Structures are given as C-alpha cells and as structure tokens.
Amino acid sequence: MPTIHAPAAASPTTQPNPTNFAITLMEHLVVPTFVLDADQRVLIWNRACERLTGIPAHEVIGTRDHWRAFYDTPRPCLADLLARNDWSLIDKLYTTHDEPDTPAHGVHAENWCTMPRRGKHLYLVVDAGPVFDDAGKLIAVVETLRDNTESKLTQIKVAEQASLLQHHYDEHEREARMARRILDHQIRTDLIRQAGIHYTVMPATNFSGDLILAARSPDGRLHALLADATGHGLAAAVSVLPVVQEFYRLVEQNEPLSGIVDAINFVLANSLPAGRFVAAAFVSLDEQAREGEAWVGGIPGVQMIDDSGRIVRRFESRNLPLGVTREADGIKTFERFSWAEPARLVMLSDGVVEATAPDGEAFGEARLAHSLASPRSEDLIARLRAALTAHLAGTPAHDDISILVIDCPA
C-alpha cells in the first residue's frame, strides 16, 4: 500500500488537506498511538509510540508486524480483535478487559507486555476504537497505549502487603481463639452457677482482660473475685490466667480470704513482667452468719446496696493491685462487715465508671449510683448494661466492662 506522508506546509492562500492534517496531528500526539487499516496493516505509528516501543515507524508502516513491539511471538493486539470483530481470545490475551458488548464505542484492556526491543516488561493500558466511513464500513482502528507499570507494581505491592497483613491477622485470630479456649476451659462455670452470683463481661475487643470467678469452699463460704488486668485484649487476659487455678485450689482448701489474696499476689508478683499487674476485688461471705469480708486493690469500691438500691456501705480500694509487690504490707487491709436486712454487693471494673460518651464525658459515679437505685425485683445487671449502652451511644468502649452482683440474703 502507498506510504502515508505528512502534508506539506499550506500556502497562505490554500487550506490544508483535512486528511493530511489529521495524520500530522496524530503523529505528534503525546499519547502513544498506532492505526491499523481494515486489513490490519499499520497506517500510522506515531512518535510517542516509537519512544514507548523502541521501534521506528518505518519498520512497521504497511506491515502486520506491530505485534513485534509488544510480544516475543505473533499474537493479535486489541486493535486486531476489533478489526476482526472476533472476541473469542480476549480472555486469554488480556488480564483485565471490558466486555466488548458495543465495540463501536471502543474497548479497554490491560496486560503485561514483554516489549522485546526495549528489553523491558511493561504493564500497558490499551484502548482501541473503530473508524467508519459514511456508509458505516470499517476503514481503520485506532489503538492508544499508556504505560501503567509503576502504578501496577505499586498495586501489586499493596496487595502483597495486604495479603501479608491478613495472614498475620488470621494467625493472631487463631492464637486468640486458642487462648480463649484455654482460658474458658480453666474457668469453672459450674462453680459460678453453684455460687449463685450474677455477672456480665463486656470486652472492649474480642478478648477480655477482666475475670470473674466464684466458688464455695467445703465449709460453705462463698468466695468471689473480680479481676482487671493491665490493658485489655489477649495480653491482659494472659495476665489473669495464673489467678484461675490458684483461686480454685485455695478455696477448695478452705483458705481464709487473707491467705487467698496473699498466695495469688505471690504468684502474680513472680510471674508477671515489669509494669503488669492485676487490680482486683475479693469478697468472702458466710451467708448463715450474715457476715463477710472484702478486699479491694486498684479497682472501684465495692458497693453494698439495700433492697431499694440505696448505697448503704462502700468498701474502697485500700490496697495495691496484685502483682505490684511481693511484700505483704501493701495488700493487708481487709474490711469485715455484716448485714441484718437483705442486701446486694456490686463489684465493678474501672471500665464502667470510665466508659466515655461521644462528647468525652465519663459514665462516672453519679450515673452509677442512679443506675443502682432499683428494687431487688428489677434485673440490676440488665439495668446497668442498658445505662452504659445508652451512655456510649454506639461509641466503642475503650476498656473492658465487668459487673458482678452478689446477694446477701436475710
């Protein structure tokens, strides 16, 4: 076929030939572009296409060898598929592509290309569109190219990092589930049921660092513990793990509350790393004698409320948290109490009073006292949960929330 030449400069009295002007314009486009005729021979191979492929126009004009710019072996380009109106190979030839339902509007595809003359592996974004004459007959196909290699490599790297993060996350979740099963297996829910306590735990994450235990000793005394380890999540839960078996062992041996606290403190002080400790509250009740004993260290005070929900006594924190020191001086304050009328003991982790609303206001002691002011017939746990949920207003809690209620019967 005849070679297409750029038009000569137009004289002042003549108008440029529209066809030649269009060819010249396409030759100087900054977008790499080539044009095939209806027989798939190269009509135009612009300068940007020469720079992208490393192949000069004179090597491909008038040939069907344009594939050599992109691949090591013969295969159709997107413009060839459009010229043939044959899309049976598009899935095999391109990693990403539009469905060519209306090829008259053009077709988009993307693929890795070997670029033999450049000696590079490039990811090209390709768009091909047909050109028809006035009778609707295909006369040419225009294909534009864009080097998207850097963006694609970044995308691949991000995908690899996301896959790696997902792997680490999945591994963490598996380990967390295993730790949760281990901890759940250690906690004797049958002993908690026999103790007759009421409680709830609302973890800040999928793993709570708060712990609630209860059991009756052989002499019938009820022992209950609410523990709150430093932080929350898996690390906090692991911190309270040594407490579980020690608590059950000591209760089974009829150990007095002072001995239970001392032994658990010794275990934690010798097992936890520096900076880790467990705030806790212990209660021991002799329901027949209507007498009890409380120990509180680093946790909100234990409330004693009457049948109307009025606070009649509060056992404040007068001890260091467990595991802070091996010395007994910091953990030796116990408070004895008795009751003549039915009462309830309410033990809380600090996640309750510190629960923060969207406006930054903490739940606080005043809201706690208001929530406790309910008759015995009302479910106190449900009332407290509802008050906390309303206060948080959809905001995630920053710390684990635990509530333990113990009856002191008449």
Side-chain angles (χ1 to χ4, degrees), residues 8-293:
S11 66
T13 59
T14 61
Q15 296 294 324
N17 182 289
T19 301
N20 290 340
F21 178 75
I23 293 172
T24 301
L25 185 64
M26 195 166 289
E27 287 282 356
H28 290 84
L29 281 177
V30 296
V31 178
T33 305
F34 67 88
V35 182
L36 305 183
D37 64 15
D39 293 325
Q40 299 163 249
R41 295 181 184 276
V42 179
L43 289 173
I44 297 173
W45 190 268
N46 76 355
R47 296 177 183 181
C49 199
E50 289 181 328
R51 291 192 294 270
L52 174 68
T53 64
I55 293 181
H58 68 81
E59 290 189 16
V60 289
I61 294 291
T63 75
R64 295 191 180 96
D65 292 340
H66 48 286
W67 62 267
R68 295 182 183 277
F70 310 104
Y71 309 107
D72 292 319
T73 56
R75 52 155 280 180
C77 296
L78 187 63
D80 296 301
L81 300 183
L82 199 153
R84 301 172 189 172
N85 196 25
D86 179 4
W87 306 102
S88 59
L89 295 177
I90 193 167
D91 288 330
K92 295 180 180 179
L93 298 178
Y94 293 94
T95 55
T96 302
H97 64 84
D98 292 341
E99 291 301 324
D101 297 328
T102 54
H105 298 157
V107 182
H108 174 89
E110 301 176 14
N111 200 36
W112 286 102
C113 297
T114 55
M115 313 299 290
R117 190 68 63 89
R118 291 276 309 274
K120 290 185 177 182
H121 201 53
L122 301 182
Y123 188 82
L124 298 184
V125 176
V126 186
D127 291 279
V131 180
F132 300 98
D133 62 14
D134 292 340
K137 180 182 177 181
L138 180 75
I139 58 173
V141 177
V142 180
E143 179 168 314
T144 61
L145 307 160
R146 178 161 56 89
D147 181 5
N148 203 38
T149 307
E150 185 175 345
S151 176
K152 186 63 177 179
L153 291 174
T154 300
Q155 180 184 346
I156 291 172
K157 186 174 182 179
V158 169
E160 289 174 348
Q161 291 174 338
S163 177
L164 182 61
L165 287 173
Q166 184 65 46
H167 172 75
H168 288 319
Y169 175 79
D170 292 341
E171 186 66 23
H172 171 76
E173 287 296 296
R174 283 193 292 272
E175 292 177 353
R177 287 193 296 270
M178 175 65 73
R180 180 76 263 174
R181 286 195 293 270
I182 292 172
L183 186 57
D184 288 344
H185 185 71
Q186 298 293 313
I187 297 173
R188 295 283 304 276
T189 54
D190 57 326
L191 296 182
I192 291 177
R193 285 194 300 271
Q194 292 170 15
I197 65 170
H198 309 280
Y199 68 97
T200 187
V201 176
M202 302 164 63
T205 66
N206 62 353
F207 216 103
S208 176
D210 289 358
L211 175 69
I212 290 176
L213 299 175
R216 291 188 180 276
S217 59
D219 63 5
R221 292 182 67 89
L222 168 62
H223 296 272
L225 157 69
L226 191 152
D228 181 4
T230 312
H232 55 268
L234 180 58
V238 171
S239 298
V240 298
L241 192 56
V243 175
V244 181
Q245 290 304 317
E246 190 70 3
F247 175 83
Y248 290 135
R249 182 183 70 83
L250 296 167
V251 171
E252 181 62 27
Q253 292 180 357
N254 269 331
E255 192 72 27
L257 185 57
S258 58
I260 294 174
V261 171
D262 185 60
I264 291 177
N265 180 72
F266 179 83
V267 168
L268 292 176
N270 286 280
S271 63
L272 295 182
R276 289 281 175 177
F277 55 82
V278 177
F282 289 82
V283 167
S284 177
L285 296 184
D286 182 343
E287 293 149 315
Q288 294 296 324
R290 301 185 204 174
E291 295 176 346
E293 194 173 13

Side-chain angles (χ1 to χ4, degrees), residues 379-402:
D379 187 336
L380 184 56
I381 296 286
R383 180 180 171 90
L384 282 169
R385 284 184 66 104
L388 285 163
T389 301
H391 180 70
L392 289 169
T395 304
H398 297 300
D399 197 3
D400 303 317
I401 293 174
S402 296

